[in-house]
Amino acid sequence: MESFALHSLSSRSATLLHRSPRPTITATAISKSQPSIPSRSSILSLRATSSLSSSSTPLFSPTKPIIFSPLRKNHFQIQVSSAVSKPQKPPPATVQGAKLIPLLISVAIGVVVRFFVPKPVEVTPQAWQLLAIFLSTVTGLVLNPLPVGAWAFVGLTTSIATRTLPFEAAFNAFTNEVMWLIVISFFFARGFVKTGLGDRIATFLVKCFGKSTLGLSYGLTFGEALIAPAMPSSTARAGGVFLPVIQSLALSAGSKPNDPSKKKIGAYLILTQFQSAGSSSALFFTAAAQNLLGIKLAEKLGVIIPNTWITWFKVASLPAIISLIVTPLVLYVLYPPETKDTPDAPALAAKKLENMGSVTKNEWIMVGTMLLAVSLWVFGDAIGVPSVVAAMIGLCLLLLSGVLDWSDCLNEKSAWDTLVWFAIVVGMASQLTDLGIVAWMSNSVAKFLSSFSLGWPAAFGVLQAAYFLIHYLFASQTGHMGALYSAFLAMQVAAGVPAMMAALALSYSTNLFGALTHYSSGQAAVYYGAGYIDLPDVFKIGFVMAVINAVIWGFVGSFWWKFLGLY
């Protein structure tokens, strides 16, 4: 987009000057008369707010859009002479097809396991070959020789072409109700953004809690926790609701991205929201797609969570709420904002709410639909309505009322991409369980741990820590869970860990490690891409908060779970 705009500007200037010779014009001169050209991060931010919600306006709205930044110094200069314009350099060639090095590594992993690692006697040739294909697929999901969905499809095709799996078994997960519950959750998230309801809720909380930077952070943190059960995508909550609000607040306080002023309030608010998102997602069963997947994978291993929504919330409530309270305060000490007080924020929020006007009909429909969906999710087991059916009913209401149209669903590319690669990975993981690979791995690890005479609490701690830290190698929470959840759950159960406690703890960990790095989750990419936090700070704070969350969930959680009778 930037290159195209600059090229068009240069070409037009060259044509006019060729007709009427003038002195040399530099980019500096042009920038005084031409409008600012948006940076890539500005364009992404604008898309997240305005393209989906016409009613969403920033808290601070000067005459010119504050979201656009001037031409940066690192762009090439435009210089046109009165005689001949300098030819433009051709854009760098893009790589076509798969990236060679990641492709070779991904394929090599599978080849080595299949042909050079001795097959255990307990494992069938079919199971061992599927394990090799699965490991190659998972390696590719980390290294990205192709886009995630494309590489997963290559792995699926390989499993069918080599006759490792029959066609029906390979595609079996595409009929899994959890897959479609995840897809529909993306559509709900789009409805929140499109109607402006999510933005209205977040802005209202800023109005109530925004007199200080710390209070502002608490308002945003608990605002996300409030809407999380009805907006089951942490990435959508980040990009569609909370990042635009934080950007507006930061800019109104003179805190700009990619600028020393970012540490006034912008960096602190972004980092706090980023680190708190995991606890919000862990608090409610319907707050994130990976929660739904974890329960389904647990059921495959015979671990059934009764009355899922209530049980999930009850078990997570105390450690999650403590984490939500502690996180803004800890970061206020470790990563303090330069501006401690924000007395203008409530007034700006009130002004924005006034500009929004009264709640629209579509917002009321969205509220009613989500109340119905959440009610069915909570009480569905008692009345015989599965979670996916509740979501389908909600989506139908949004379509029939016109809040969403079918093009909204078709344009939600991330939903369909997730369906493809997610179903493929889950399908392979399920087949590995059916073919005995997971049982063999869990028994092997259990025997290894028993050789150290570890009791189940020690085994629980070791395996939970290993599952958590391995996420440094993954760029997706759901991908990590699809690849490793079943194996780690089986290992813990084999080591004597209470099954329900192990299943839920692994699911909670999957939400918490989403803030380890700038690539560890969808919301990580959203918040880091805003330009307010430096990469070393992401890794440093990510590790420190991981330790703090381990203490909260490990110690407070263990006593709470003992009280609830999980062990």
Side-chain angles (χ1 to χ4, degrees):
M1 181 72 73
E2 297 172 17
S3 299
F4 178 78
L6 291 171
H7 179 73
S8 300
L9 179 62
S10 176
S11 300
R12 182 181 178 186
S13 302
T15 303
L16 294 173
L17 293 171
H18 184 70
R19 294 176 182 175
S20 177
R22 295 182 182 178
T24 300
I25 300 175
T26 64
T28 303
I30 292 176
S31 65
K32 294 180 180 179
S33 60
Q34 296 294 334
S36 299
I37 299 174
S39 65
R40 182 175 297 275
S41 62
S42 302
I43 294 171
L44 290 174
S45 178
L46 186 62
R47 285 176 180 169
T49 54
S50 62
S51 64
L52 293 177
S53 176
S54 58
S55 62
S56 181
T57 57
L59 294 181
F60 183 73
S61 300
T63 305
K64 295 183 179 180
I66 191 170
I67 202 168
F68 289 91
S69 61
L71 189 64
R72 296 179 182 174
K73 293 181 180 180
N74 59 349
H75 287 287
F76 60 88
Q77 288 189 332
I78 303 172
Q79 186 171 355
V80 184
S81 67
S82 59
V84 181
S85 62
K86 293 183 179 180
Q88 296 291 327
K89 294 182 180 180
T94 57
V95 178
Q96 181 175 348
K99 301 172 187 174
L100 184 59
I101 301 301
L103 175 64
L104 292 176
I105 295 174
S106 301
V107 172
I109 293 292
V111 170
V112 168
V113 171
R114 174 62 180 86
F115 296 103
F116 297 98
V117 176
K119 179 184 72 66
V121 293
E122 304 94 332
V123 178
T124 65
Q126 179 191 11
W128 193 248
Q129 183 158 297
L130 181 59
L131 176 63
I133 296 172
F134 179 74
L135 291 176
S136 180
T137 302
V138 170
T139 303
L141 295 181
V142 175
L143 299 180
N144 291 317
L146 287 173
V148 172
W151 181 251
F153 189 78
V154 170
L156 175 73
T157 303
T158 303
S159 69
I160 298 173
T162 57
R163 299 184 180 180
T164 307
L165 291 177
F167 187 90
E168 294 78 8
F171 277 87
N172 182 58
F174 282 87
T175 62
N176 189 312
E177 61 187 42
V178 172
M179 299 300 114
W180 289 99
L181 186 55
I182 292 169
V183 170
I184 294 173
S185 75
F186 280 91
F187 302 153
F188 284 164
R190 175 170 280 262
F192 258 82
V193 177
K194 181 179 180 181
T195 61
L197 178 61
D199 192 22
R200 184 183 294 274
I201 293 172
T203 305
F204 177 77
L205 291 166
V206 171
K207 176 185 175 183
C208 297
F209 301 102
K211 290 186 178 180
S212 68
T213 305
L214 183 61
L216 196 59
S217 177
Y218 274 115
L220 292 167
T221 295
F222 282 95
E224 177 162 7
L226 179 66
I227 69 173
M231 193 173 184
S233 170
S234 54
T235 304
R237 294 196 301 268
V241 178
F242 290 95
L243 179 61
V245 172
I246 292 172
Q247 284 177 321
S248 297
L249 287 168
L251 291 171
S252 68
S255 184
K256 302 175 183 178
N258 303 306
D259 185 83
S261 64
K262 65 187 178 183
K263 290 193 175 181
K264 285 185 176 181
I265 67 169
Y268 169 74
L269 291 178
I270 289 283
L271 200 56
T272 302
Q273 199 70 19
F274 175 32
Q275 290 295 333
S276 301
S279 295
S280 296
S281 295
L283 183 56
F284 299 102
F285 172 55
T286 53
Q290 59 266 18
N291 299 347
L292 314 175
L293 174 62
I295 294 301
K296 193 65 180 180
L297 293 175
E299 290 176 356
K300 285 280 186 179
L301 294 176
V303 181
I304 307 299
I305 311 297
N307 199 0
T308 308
W309 208 97
I310 295 296
T311 302
W312 181 290
F313 174 76
K314 185 169 60 175
V315 174
S317 57
L318 185 61
I321 291 172
I322 290 177
S323 181
L324 288 171
I325 294 172
V326 166
T327 298
L329 191 59
V330 169
L331 290 178
Y332 196 77
V333 175
L334 297 179
Y335 199 82
E338 294 177 355
T339 302
K340 301 294 193 296
D341 297 317
T342 55
D344 295 334
L348 291 170
K351 181 64 175 177
K352 180 178 178 180
L353 288 172
E354 182 182 344
N355 292 337
M356 284 182 172
S358 59
V359 179
T360 64
K361 181 185 74 172
N362 284 352
E363 288 178 90
W364 281 121
I365 294 173
M366 193 73 206
V367 169
T369 300
M370 295 316 302
L371 286 175
L372 174 63
V374 171
S375 300
L376 291 176
W377 285 331
V378 173
F379 302 107
D381 289 345
I383 61 178
V385 178
S387 295
V388 68
V389 175
M392 292 169 67
I393 292 171
L395 177 60
C396 288
L397 291 175
L398 294 178
L399 290 170
L400 290 170
S401 63
V403 171
L404 291 177
D405 52 49
W406 191 238
S407 63
D408 291 322
C409 299
L410 293 177
N411 290 331
E412 196 65 40
K413 295 180 181 179
S414 56
W416 303 112
D417 183 57
T418 300
L419 172 65
V420 172
W421 75 263
F422 209 2
I424 291 171
V425 171
V426 171
M428 286 188 182
S430 299
Q431 290 299 317
L432 287 174
T433 300
D434 295 341
L435 293 173
I437 284 288
V438 173
W440 165 74
M441 292 177 62
S442 62
N443 290 333
S444 300
V445 173
K447 290 178 182 177
F448 175 76
L449 292 176
S450 64
S451 67
F452 292 95
S453 300
L454 294 178
W456 73 258
F460 173 74
V462 169
L463 291 171
Q464 285 286 340
Y467 179 77
F468 194 101
L469 294 175
I470 286 173
H471 194 65
Y472 277 107
L473 303 176
F474 281 85
S476 165
Q477 292 166 287
T478 49
H480 183 158
M481 176 172 270
L484 300 178
Y485 181 92
S486 297
F488 273 81
L489 176 57
M491 286 186 275
Q492 292 189 46
V493 172
V497 181
M500 186 185 300
M501 175 178 165
L504 290 173
L506 285 170
S507 296
Y508 299 149
S509 293
T510 304
N511 288 294
L512 296 174
F513 59 48
L516 269 179
T517 68
H518 65 301
Y519 58 83
S520 57
S521 61
Q523 66 267 26
V526 170
Y527 285 128
Y528 174 71
Y532 279 95
I533 45 180
D534 298 322
L535 191 56
D537 292 331
V538 174
F539 277 85
K540 180 176 66 177
I541 298 297
F543 181 79
V544 171
M545 290 307 303
V547 173
I548 291 173
N549 278 318
V551 172
I552 294 173
W553 287 81
F555 287 93
V556 176
S558 62
F559 285 110
W560 178 241
W561 299 337
K562 176 69 174 177
F563 174 78
L564 293 176
L566 289 186
Y567 67 95

